[in-house]
Amino acid sequence: MKFYFFHLMPWPHLPDDFDEKYTSSWVTLPNEIYKPELGVGLYNRYLDELEYADQLGFDGICVNEHHQNAYGTMPSPNIMAAALVRRTRNAKIAILGNGLPLRGNPLRVAEEIAMLDVMSNGRIISGFVRGIGAEYFSLNLDPTESRDRFHEAHDLIIRAWTEPGPFAFDGKFYKYKYVNLWPRPIQKPHPPVWLPSMGSLETIQWAAERRYPFCSVFTPVDNIKRMFGQYREHCDRLGYTPHPEQLGFAAGPYVAETDAKAREEIEEHVMWFFKKSFKMPLEFLMPPGYTTEASLRTMMAQGFKHPGEMSFDELEKVGMVMYGSPKTVIDKLKDRYRELGGFGFIIAGTAGNTPHWKTVKSMELLATEVMPVLRKEFPT
Amino acid sequence: MSPTPFTEETLGVRDTPVRVLFGGKGEPLLFLHGAGAAGVWLPVHERLAEHFRVIAPLCPGFGGTPRPEWLDRTTDLTFHHADLLGALGLAQARVLGVSIGGWMAADLAATYPDRVSRLVLVGASGLSIPEAPIPDIFALPMEAVLPLLFEDLSTALALLPGSMDQDFVEAQLRERATMAHLAWNPHFHDPKLRRRLARVTAPTLLLWGEKDRFTPVAHGKAYERLIPGARLEVIPGCGHVPPVERTDEFCAAVVPFLKG
């Protein structure tokens, strides 16, 4: 089993009257709330934590892309990856991911990932995402084109990485007379592509067809179980057995000395994360045409619940929160492993406004007491 | 008075099937609906059908119909509507458009001046007026959108079915996606339209509700400046959709104008 450490780089300094005064921490939250003077220390702290994960022996460190919000202050994940490339040695740098439809010119993604891949001598994992619904408001992009643009940009990038240039590309959205990537990536055939996703059936099958690792984020375990099942079934249909590392579980465990201490230390930050930093009206989350009609029907039938409406106990019960002593977390991860039919990697991280000392303590306990046990039990 | 009967027919317009409601006799009047009113034969249609042969097509992608692959811009609908007139054997028609249908009607009249004999735009979008921006309805829940559209909310009920079943909800979501595809960016306007409006030759009546909070009267005034000879009439105390909210006053203004 492999271990990745994910950072969202949230803005933890929300005003005291946030709950009453603001309906969203995305799109419309006034940017005067962001204080660059505090951002200096914060960015450096967050990068330190990611670098420390490399030193602790995590297999990879992860960054991602979100726009105009307090949830994650990384509009360009490639800039963060560049900062990490020169300050880390062993860990993979997983960019989870670049929002392909959010780029006017997706060839820029192919170029930047290729640069990072060469600079890091092949340590880059290239996640591709669509960006969440709110991003389509923030960047004023037509959400109904999101899926088609994603697929076309993906095809362009893969071809740019793998085919000799120059060649012409004539898509519906993107047209080039000369695709001729300088530099080319060092990993062959190209940097691994991952698909972090909310997990529509179309996306799951699309990933399985390309053997792209799939991991679902902020999803109840029952749903992950269904998604893993759909992925495996589709692999079956395609006539292959997926490698364990094609499925990942974003467990996000918080580890402390005891179960009670872990809960006491992390509960407020988990709740801050779901209730404040993920706060947004349904309209921002699901703009028209962003979600396929089939997925909407499924959601309407199942009843959609924003995680911010759940209590800590409910979140834990559905498996969206994990905490405990090293032993408890080992047991819980083993349970999940059995329940989900196995997975090749887990993603840990730091929730919302968790302070530095708690983040570091949990990382250390995870690295020294949890990782060795599970690596031995589930070798890769 | 008994309701004016209407008939319904599906026409092939090039490769696209189009449901069209017909009612009344006389000179043809092409009625281009706004969002939320596709395929509904409203009292205003009945009233107009007393004077004209009302032709009310469902715009592709609206009213729960699938959005055709060719539909990206309002301009695509201009060619579609010209083709529809052709399929009906009409060289020319009176054209009336409401809200986003008004934008379509304006673009049609500017692109094919010869095909439009008289033009009525009602609360039409299509222009960007920075002093009176069109609100971002895609960011708002339905309960916040309706008060932007209707001064008298009770009249909006005419557009709603008896029960909000799954089919209705899905049709609404599909229509919302079509609207987003046409009007997300640029937001409910075409920067090219402003200059092209000088090409309109049809006598033009602009009808606006005084309390239109979606396309405020400033939009009507802009159309009045840009379309040669156009005349703006404002209905006091009325919202964005005068044909639904004030059917009598609406018809009293529109019918004599369209009769010319």
Side-chain angles (χ1 to χ4, degrees):
Chain A
M1 191 178 296
K2 290 192 171 166
F3 291 81
Y4 288 79
F5 183 81
F6 197 124
H7 221 307
L8 284 169
M9 303 200 178
W11 181 254
H13 308 297
L14 290 176
D16 294 338
D17 58 358
F18 172 80
D19 290 343
E20 304 84 58
K21 204 166 162 190
Y22 302 104
T23 54
S24 176
S25 50
W26 294 71
V27 187
T28 53
L29 182 67
N31 69 348
E32 63 186 2
I33 291 171
Y34 184 85
K35 303 278 189 283
E37 306 73 33
L38 294 176
V40 174
L42 210 55
Y43 269 150
N44 281 290
R45 179 200 135 188
Y46 291 159
L47 286 165
D48 286 346
E49 288 167 3
L50 285 163
E51 289 165 21
Y52 190 46
D54 174 51
Q55 291 155 26
L56 285 171
F58 280 83
D59 298 283
I61 49 183
C62 319
V63 293
N64 79 345
E65 169 174 350
H66 286 301
H67 297 267
Q68 302 192 168
N69 71 97
Y71 167 96
T73 57
M74 277 186 286
S76 172
N78 300 343
I79 288 179
M80 286 305 170
L84 291 166
V85 160
R86 297 268 302 163
R87 305 264 303 165
T88 56
R89 283 291 163 262
N90 301 311
K92 299 277 185 197
I93 296 168
I95 301 159
L96 303 180
N98 272 281
L100 300 187
L102 309 182
R103 289 287 191 117
N105 193 333
L107 204 52
R108 295 289 302 270
V109 176
E111 289 178 337
E112 289 169 16
I113 297 291
M115 285 172 72
L116 289 164
D117 201 43
V118 174
M119 285 162 70
S120 67
N121 195 13
R123 284 194 287 134
I124 298 300
I125 290 168
S126 176
F128 290 149
V129 296
R130 291 200 289 143
I132 74 162
E135 254 97 49
Y136 290 77
F137 287 92
S138 287
L139 298 175
N140 202 23
L141 297 167
D142 174 1
T144 67
E145 292 181 346
S146 163
R147 213 165 264 277
D148 290 344
R149 280 183 183 272
F150 177 85
H151 289 138
E152 190 173 310
H154 162 271
D155 294 349
L156 166 69
I157 292 167
I158 298 294
R159 287 189 58 192
W161 280 342
T162 55
E163 288 182 26
F167 63 85
F169 184 89
D170 184 22
K172 178 178 179 194
F173 302 103
Y174 311 111
K175 294 173 187 293
Y176 298 89
K177 287 179 275 190
Y178 312 103
V179 178
N180 192 21
L181 215 63
W182 285 74
R184 291 184 294 125
I186 192 162
Q187 295 185 81
K188 296 290 173 259
H190 56 73
V193 171
W194 283 17
L195 226 64
S197 158
M198 300 295 274
S200 71
L201 181 61
E202 300 93 323
T203 305
I204 290 168
Q205 295 187 341
W206 189 85
E209 280 156 25
R210 287 159 186 79
R211 306 193 178 211
Y212 291 162
F214 169 82
C215 63
S216 176
V217 282
F218 312 132
T219 310
V221 170
D222 281 349
N223 291 2
I224 298 179
K225 202 167 157 180
R226 173 175 53 78
M227 292 168 192
F228 280 15
Q230 289 168 340
Y231 190 100
R232 292 191 177 102
E233 273 167 38
H234 203 62
C235 293
D236 235 26
R237 238 172 273 143
L238 297 163
Y240 80 95
T241 307
H243 188 277
E245 280 184 49
Q246 276 176 249
L247 292 167
F249 174 49
Y254 181 77
V255 194
E257 294 81 352
T258 64
D259 292 356
K261 210 161 177 198
R263 172 156 188 164
E264 188 195 316
E265 286 176 4
I266 203 60
E267 179 168 352
E268 63 171 299
H269 308 301
V270 167
M271 297 320 282
W272 185 96
F273 172 76
F274 284 115
K275 283 198 189 301
K276 292 185 197 283
S277 79
F278 206 57
K279 182 178 185 179
M280 73 180 87
L282 196 58
E283 285 71 29
F284 285 173
L285 195 60
M286 288 196 288
Y290 173 83
T291 315
T292 62
E293 293 185 5
S295 296
L296 280 175
R297 267 193 292 274
T298 310
M299 287 172 75
M300 283 194 281
Q302 289 176 345
F304 174 77
K305 198 168 190 188
H306 189 287
E309 295 167 42
M310 293 192 234
S311 70
F312 186 80
D313 288 319
E314 279 178 279
L315 287 165
E316 197 208 352
K317 196 167 160 235
V318 300
M320 289 167 74
V321 168
M322 186 182 285
Y323 66 88
S325 67
K327 181 175 178 316
T328 300
V329 167
I330 289 168
D331 290 344
K332 283 182 179 174
L333 282 170
K334 283 186 190 170
D335 285 349
R336 290 281 181 261
Y337 189 92
R338 275 187 290 273
E339 201 177 337
L340 294 171
F343 41 79
F345 61 95
I346 74 153
I347 298 178
T350 178
N353 61 350
T354 306
H356 181 63
W357 70 269
K358 291 183 189 175
T359 301
V360 165
K361 179 168 86 172
S362 175
M363 287 166 79
E364 286 174 346
L365 287 170
L366 201 59
T368 55
E369 305 204 25
V370 177
M371 272 159 42
V373 176
L374 292 173
R375 276 178 173 159
K376 204 167 149 193
E377 179 141 350
F378 307 106
T380 47
Chain B
M1 191 168 49
S2 63
T4 318
F6 71 95
T7 57
E8 198 180 318
E9 207 181 306
T10 298
L11 297 180
V13 179
R14 298 201 184 277
D15 55 358
T16 306
V18 180
R19 235 181 89 206
V20 187
L21 311 183
F22 296 94
K25 291 194 294 280
E27 294 295 321
L29 167 61
L30 182 67
F31 189 110
L32 302 181
H33 61 75
V40 192
W41 187 255
L42 294 164
V44 69
H45 294 114
E46 286 185 21
R47 297 282 298 276
L48 292 169
E50 291 164 15
H51 306 276
F52 306 99
R53 180 183 173 222
V54 175
I55 303 163
L58 250 93
C59 185
F62 285 74
T65 60
R67 169 158 54 85
E69 169 276 327
W70 52 260
L71 177 54
D72 297 310
R73 300 261 162 234
T74 303
T75 301
D76 296 320
L77 291 168
T78 292
F79 297 108
H80 168 76
H81 286 131
D83 291 344
L84 172 69
L85 290 176
L88 290 161
L90 296 173
Q92 218 185 32
R94 290 156 170 78
V95 178
L96 184 160
V98 185
S99 189
I100 196 169
W103 176 7
M104 298 171 200
D107 199 69
L108 178 65
T111 310
Y112 291 108
D114 300 344
R115 310 294 298 267
V116 181
S117 58
R118 290 191 162 252
L119 176 67
V120 180
L121 305 181
V122 187
S125 49
L127 298 174
S128 168
I129 312 291
E131 318 81 77
I134 295 178
D136 187 4
I137 51 167
F138 299 122
L140 298 172
M142 194 47 82
E143 60 268 25
V145 173
L146 286 176
L148 291 173
L149 303 180
F150 292 90
E151 181 67 8
D152 178 358
L153 269 175
S154 68
T155 60
L157 294 174
L159 298 174
L160 299 176
S163 75
M164 303 275 206
D165 58 6
Q166 174 98 356
D167 287 349
F168 176 75
V169 173
E170 282 183 25
Q172 289 288 305
L173 291 171
R174 189 177 284 179
E175 180 167 304
R176 224 169 132 80
T178 299
M179 295 276 284
H181 193 54
L182 291 171
W184 189 279
N185 183 14
H187 187 64
F188 282 97
H189 75 280
D190 176 357
K192 295 281 187 185
L193 179 61
R194 182 172 284 270
R195 178 176 162 78
R196 290 179 188 162
L197 287 174
R199 304 182 73 239
V200 175
T201 53
T204 302
L205 174 66
L206 308 164
L207 213 58
W208 247 257
E210 180 204 12
K211 305 280 179 141
D212 188 334
R213 283 178 286 271
F214 183 67
T215 43
V217 174
H219 290 250
K221 287 185 177 153
Y223 271 113
E224 191 180 29
R225 276 194 308 277
L226 295 163
I227 298 178
R231 177 168 61 85
L232 172 67
E233 257 186 59
V234 175
I235 300 183
C238 181
H240 177 62
V241 201
V244 171
E245 203 169 321
R246 297 286 189 83
T247 311
D248 289 346
E249 284 159 79
F250 177 80
C251 291
V254 163
V255 171
F257 169 78
L258 284 174
K259 284 192 165 170

